[in-house]
Amino acid sequence: MITVQSGMDPADLARQLLALQPCLDIADGELLAAYWRFHPRFRFVKTARAGASILDVGAGAGGLPAWKAWLDPQRHDLRLFAADRAPAPQQHGYDSWECLDLDEALPDFPGITFDAALLSHIVEHVRDPALLLAWIGSRLAIGGRIYIEWPSEASVRLPRREALLPFGVDLMISNFFDDATHRRPVTMEELRIALRDAGFRVTASGTIAAGLLGEELLARGLRRDDAFARLAGFWSMTGWCNWVEAVR
């Protein structure tokens, strides 16, 4: 794992990344499956209680339903609900989709009590994460679980995307502020306090670092036209993402 420091030299970072060589004798599909089996977000969904109703806050392109049938265990029993500012894709696979700006309004989903909530890269986009977490706490069943994933403080100290491009490292996002829709970094302590105030107890947390799997993804992604492998590997090696799981 690369130690991220303020003022990192883009050329030096690029040299470290480009020096990686693929070393695992497994197919690309097997590598991807191994990475996601390791990932706490994937485990959170796959281990939800039987028949759980899961709220996907910031559903984006609507990819979560694909996880029901991808890899074991099969989870066709899950009921999925989405909230996002983008309209629902034509084929989205959710039981319900609410289109709204979370800075202007909170979701509704009348009559539904959720068993779990998933917030993947959303708290850094909203004006008041604590308000959103309080609403989720009011709509989760007792014993309900929440998973949150967001950029770590390390993401602020990395070189900007355009600074790495001349050295042959093409990423969708490197520095936190490469995404103009990001509002501000949210610290782990800030999120823990907001969860506590919303009635949650933190049960696990950390930084997503996939070790050799992340290095292999990045090494392959830099040599192929595979933007996801590059990004997932880069984020893993730099400690780009925090995650926390809590129970109500």
Side-chain angles (χ1 to χ4, degrees), residues 191-206:
L191 210 55
R192 282 176 170 271
I193 291 171
L195 284 166
R196 181 200 64 197
D197 292 347
F200 289 96
R201 174 175 56 84
V202 172
T203 56
S205 63

Side-chain angles (χ1 to χ4, degrees), residues 8-30:
M8 292 187 76
D9 178 55
D12 181 59
L13 177 58
R15 280 194 295 269
Q16 293 183 63
L17 301 179
L18 293 168
L20 294 171
Q21 296 292 327
C23 63
L24 296 180
D25 186 21
I26 59 174
D28 289 349
E30 293 173 345

Side-chain angles (χ1 to χ4, degrees), residues 53-106:
S53 298
I54 301 178
L55 174 61
D56 185 6
V57 182
L64 187 60
W67 281 4
K68 287 185 177 184
W70 187 56
L71 305 179
D72 291 329
Q74 302 286 294
R75 295 306 312 266
H76 297 289
D77 58 301
L78 298 176
R79 299 180 64 209
L80 303 179
F81 299 82
D84 196 275
R85 68 185 307 162
Q90 187 172 4
Q91 301 294 328
H92 56 77
Y94 288 85
D95 290 71
S96 181
W97 183 296
E98 290 193 5
C99 180
L100 75 164
D101 183 338
L102 291 169
D103 281 336
E104 302 298 331
L106 293 169

